[in-house]
C-alpha cells in the first residue's frame, strides 16, 4: 500500500468506536507488539539494532537519522542497561563494557515540579517528585474527587496532544457544569491511575493505548467519534474528537486524499533513499546484441555502498570485477541519488572525480508486482539509455533492487541488468 505518515500507520482502529482503554499490558501482548514493530522495520533494519527481549514492554524512538547512521556504520548499537562508570569505561548491568567513552548523555527527561501547590494538595494527589513515570495520581489524569476546584491539563506523559485537548475540554465541561461525573466513577478512575503507577515491568508510557484513552476521555464528553469517523480501519486524529462535523469531515477528506496519494507512491522516492543506505552485493549481466545469434554475455560482480553526502543525497560507489571471455579487470563507478522536491522524482546524477555532474535519470514510481518500478530515458549523444529501476520493501527496508538498462545507438546494442542484495 506504499508508505504513509507514521501516525496514520500506528493509530488506526482495529474495530468500531468506542474502544475500551487497555490499561495493563500482559507479556503476551508485549510479544505481539514487538512482532508488529519488527514487521514495520523489516528484518534488515531490525538486524542493525538487535532483538529486544520478546516479552518486555515495547519502547519506541522516532528518528529520521538513527537507522541511516547505523546502516552506514557511523553508530554502533550496544544493547543493555547502564550500571555505572569505571574510569572512562561505561559498564552495563551484564558487565559488558563500552571502552574509552568521551561523553555520556543521559536522556532522563524532565522532573515534575509542583512546589507551588500546598502540601495538603500534594498529599491528596500522592505527588512524588522523584517519580518520572507517573508523578501524581488523578482521575482520568485530569481531576481528583477530593479537589473539586482544581484540574490538571498537560500532566499527561505521552507524545499526543489530542489527549491534552480532551483534558482541557473535560476541565471546561466540569467547571461549567455541562457534565457531572459520579463519585463512584471518579474513585474508580483514581484507582486505575494508582494501579498504572504500580505496574511492573513499566512500559514506556503510563497510557500506551492512545486510541482507547482518547475514546475513554471523549466518552465522558459525549464526543466519541461515530459513523465514518469511528469506523474500523479509520486513522485516529484529534479532529474527530470535537463537536463540529464540518471540521471532522474536512480532516477525514484530507486523510483519505493523503492515503490515496500514499498508495499511488507519493513517498516511494524518499523511502527508497532511506532504504538504500548501507552496503550491498551486486551482480550485473551485460548481454550484447540481445536476441541475435551472435549475442555474447559479460558480467560484473562486487559491492555497492550508498552513503549520505553533506547535502542529504546519497553517493553510490561501486567496486567490482568485470569478467569477459578473455580477461578480468577492476571497475569503479559513482552516481549521486537525490530527491527532487518539485517533481517528487528520484534523480540520479553523474559523478566525475567526486563532483556531481549532469542529470542521468529522473524516476517516477508506480506499482509493479511485489515492488515498485521507476522508468527514465537518457540520450547520450546518439545513444539512448532506457532505464528501469525496481525496488521491493520489507517494512522500511529494501530487500532487493534491480536496475536494467536497454542501450540502443549507432554502435551500441546491449542490455545490462544489475541485481542488488543487502550485504549480510
Amino acid at each position: 500500500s506504499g508508505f504513509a505518515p507514521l501516525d496514520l500507520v500506528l493509530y488506526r482502529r482495529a474495530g468500531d468506536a468506542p474502544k475500551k482503554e487497555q490499561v495493563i499490558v500482559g507479556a503476551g501482548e508485549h510479544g505481539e507488539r514487538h512482532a508488529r514493530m519488527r514487521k514495520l522495520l523489516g528484518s534488515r533494519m531490525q538486524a542493525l539494532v538487535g532483538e529486544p527481549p520478546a516479552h518486555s514492554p515495547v519502547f519506541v524512538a522516532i528518528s529520521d537519522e538513527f537507522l541511516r547512521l547505523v546502516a552506514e556504520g557511523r553508530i554502533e548499537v550496544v544493547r543493555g542497561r547502564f550500571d555505572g562508570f569505571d574510569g572512562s569505561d561505561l559498564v552495563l548491568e551484564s558487565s559488558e563494557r563500552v571502552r574509552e567513552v568521551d561523553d555520556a548523555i543521559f536522556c532522563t527527561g524532565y522532573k515534575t515540579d509542583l512546589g507551588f501547590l500546598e502540601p495538603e494538595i500534594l498529599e491528596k494527589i500522592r505527588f512524588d517528585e522523584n517519580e518520572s513515570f507517573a508523578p501524581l495520581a488523578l482521575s482520568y489524569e485530569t481531576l481528583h474527587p477530593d479537589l473539586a476546584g482544581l484540574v490538571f491539563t498537560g500532566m499527561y506523559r505521552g507524545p499526543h496532544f489530542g489527549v491534552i485537548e480532551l483534558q482541557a475540554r473535560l476541565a471546561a465541561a466540569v467547571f461549567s457544569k455541562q457534565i457531572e461525573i459520579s463519585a463512584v466513577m471518579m474513585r474508580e478512575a483514581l484507582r486505575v491511575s494508582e494501579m498504572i503507577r504500580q505496574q511492573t515491568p513499566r512500559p514506556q508510557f503510563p497510557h500506551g493505548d492512545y486510541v482507547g484513552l482518547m475514546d475513554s476521555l471523549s466518552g465522558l464528553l459525549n464526543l466519541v467519534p461515530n459513523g465514518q469517523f469511528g469506523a474500523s480501519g479509520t486513522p485516529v486524529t484529534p479532529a474527530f474528537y470535537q463537536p463540529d462535523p464540518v471540521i471532522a469531515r474536512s480532516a477525514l477528506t484530507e486523510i483519505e486524499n493523503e492515503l490515496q496519494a500514499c498508495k499511488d507512491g507519493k513517498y516511494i522516492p524518499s523511502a527508497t533513499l532511506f532504504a538504500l543506505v548501507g552496503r550491498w552485493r551486486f551482480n550485473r549481466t551485460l548481454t550484447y546484441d540481445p536476441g541475435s545469434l551472435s549475442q555474447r554475455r559479460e558480467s560484473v560482480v562486487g559491492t555497492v555502498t550508498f552513503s549520505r553526502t553533506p547535502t542529504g543525497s546519497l553517493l553510490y560507489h561501486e567496486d567490482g570485477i568485470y569478467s569477459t571471455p578473455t580477461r578480468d579487470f577492476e571497475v569503479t563507478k559513482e552516481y549521486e541519488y537525490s530527491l527532487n522536491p518539485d517533481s517528487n522524482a528520484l534523480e540520479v546524477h553523474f559523478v566525475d572525480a567526486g563532483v556531481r555532474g549532469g542529470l542521468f535519470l529522473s524516476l517516477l514510481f508506480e506499482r509493479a508486482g511485489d515492488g515498485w518500478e521507476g522508468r527514465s530515458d537518457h540520450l547520450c549523444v546518439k545513444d539512448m539509455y532506457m532505464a528501469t529501476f525496481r525496488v521491493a520493501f520489507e517494512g522500511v527496508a529494501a530487500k532487493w533492487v534491480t536496475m536494467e538498462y536497454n542501450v540502443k545507438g549507432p554502435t551500441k546494442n546491449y542490455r545490462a541488468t544489475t541485481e542488488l542484495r543487502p550485504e549480510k
Side-chain angles (χ1 to χ4, degrees):
S1 61
F3 288 78
L6 198 57
D7 280 359
L8 300 185
V9 175
L10 294 181
Y11 305 114
R12 299 173 72 93
R13 293 190 177 276
D16 293 344
K19 179 184 186 299
K20 183 178 180 180
E21 183 185 5
Q22 184 177 7
V23 178
I24 304 298
V25 178
E29 176 67 14
H30 289 317
E32 293 176 9
R33 292 184 177 184
H34 279 297
R36 290 196 292 270
M37 294 307 299
R38 282 195 297 270
K39 185 177 181 180
L40 182 65
L41 281 176
S43 58
R44 176 171 168 247
M45 290 298 181
Q46 183 68 60
L48 294 175
V49 296
E51 288 282 350
H55 298 297
S56 63
V58 173
F59 281 69
V60 177
I62 299 173
S63 170
D64 289 333
E65 305 298 331
F66 177 72
L67 286 175
R68 293 179 182 176
L69 293 171
V70 175
E72 288 182 285
R74 296 166 64 185
I75 288 180
E76 178 185 354
V77 177
V78 179
R79 297 193 67 87
R81 296 185 67 85
F82 172 77
D83 188 54
F85 288 102
D86 182 8
S88 61
D89 292 354
L90 187 150
V91 183
L92 304 179
E93 288 181 350
S94 63
S95 298
E96 184 180 358
R97 289 172 176 260
V98 181
R99 302 286 183 181
E100 300 296 328
V101 173
D102 295 314
D103 296 288
I105 301 172
F106 292 91
C107 302
T108 54
Y110 297 95
K111 178 182 286 189
T112 303
D113 182 3
L114 296 180
F116 55 88
L117 294 177
E118 297 293 331
E120 294 80 6
I121 294 176
L122 297 179
E123 183 178 355
K124 285 185 181 295
I125 63 176
R126 299 186 62 193
F127 176 65
D128 184 350
E129 65 178 3
N130 297 313
E131 171 63 74
S132 61
F133 179 70
L136 61 163
L138 296 169
S139 303
Y140 311 108
E141 307 304 327
T142 309
L143 312 165
H144 195 282
D146 298 328
L147 298 170
L150 184 63
V151 298
F152 294 81
T153 60
M155 299 298 295
Y156 154 72
R157 186 170 184 264
H160 306 293
F161 286 101
V163 173
I164 301 172
E165 290 180 17
L166 285 178
Q167 284 183 312
R169 289 184 181 276
L170 180 60
V174 170
F175 279 163
S176 64
K177 300 189 183 305
Q178 293 181 27
I179 66 169
E180 184 176 344
I181 305 174
S182 70
V184 173
M185 292 178 61
M186 290 279 279
R187 293 290 176 189
E188 173 59 19
L190 184 61
R191 185 192 70 80
V192 170
S193 181
E194 293 172 345
M195 181 175 63
I196 289 173
R197 195 179 202 180
Q198 297 165 6
Q199 66 181 309
T200 55
R202 286 181 163 181
Q204 185 173 14
F205 302 112
H207 292 271
D209 181 3
Y210 171 56
V211 179
L213 177 59
M214 291 287 284
D215 282 3
S216 297
L217 289 174
S218 62
L220 299 169
L221 298 159
N222 196 28
L223 288 177
V224 176
N226 55 33
Q228 58 189 338
F229 307 115
S232 179
T234 303
V236 172
T237 176
F240 296 162
Y241 292 87
Q242 49 78 43
D244 190 336
V246 175
I247 294 176
R249 178 66 247 178
S250 176
L252 183 59
T253 299
E254 286 188 34
I255 289 173
E256 291 172 341
N257 291 340
E258 177 68 12
L259 289 175
Q260 185 57 54
C262 295
K263 292 178 181 179
D264 293 339
K266 174 181 178 179
Y267 293 104
I268 295 302
S270 57
T272 300
L273 278 180
F274 175 88
L276 290 176
V277 173
R279 289 175 59 85
W280 301 72
R281 301 291 301 178
F282 80 89
N283 189 315
R284 179 177 302 128
T285 301
L286 296 97
T287 305
Y288 291 87
D289 298 321
S292 70
L293 295 176
S294 60
Q295 73 175 19
R296 73 180 193 279
R297 295 193 176 208
E298 298 172 352
S299 63
V300 189
V301 296
T303 60
V304 166
T305 301
F306 286 94
S307 57
R308 288 187 311 163
T309 70
T311 62
S313 59
L314 291 186
L315 178 65
Y316 170 107
H317 180 88
E318 170 188 313
D319 291 303
I321 302 296
Y322 195 120
S323 298
T324 74
T326 57
R327 67 187 183 103
D328 296 342
F329 54 92
E330 295 181 354
V331 293
T332 186
K333 186 181 298 185
E334 289 188 336
Y335 296 102
E336 187 173 312
Y337 285 56
S338 61
L339 178 67
N340 184 322
D342 295 324
S343 63
N344 197 36
L346 179 62
E347 293 187 343
V348 183
H349 286 253
F350 295 105
V351 173
D352 185 18
V355 178
R356 172 170 164 157
L359 179 66
F360 177 33
L361 303 173
S362 181
L363 300 164
L364 294 172
F365 289 86
E366 59 182 25
R367 264 288 181 195
D370 64 344
W372 294 83
E373 180 179 279
R375 294 176 179 269
S376 182
D377 296 340
H378 176 80
L379 181 63
C380 181
V381 190
K382 296 182 179 181
D383 301 319
M384 178 62 77
Y385 288 74
M386 294 164 282
T388 303
F389 183 104
R390 299 183 181 92
V391 58
F393 293 92
E394 181 196 16
V396 298
K399 60 181 179 180
W400 56 257
V401 175
T402 64
M403 307 172 191
E404 183 174 291
Y405 299 98
N406 281 303
V407 184
K408 303 286 185 180
T411 60
K412 293 183 178 179
N413 182 19
Y414 70 90
R415 181 175 63 247
T417 302
T418 304
E419 298 181 352
L420 283 79
R421 295 292 186 274
E423 190 172 75
K424 302 297 184 182

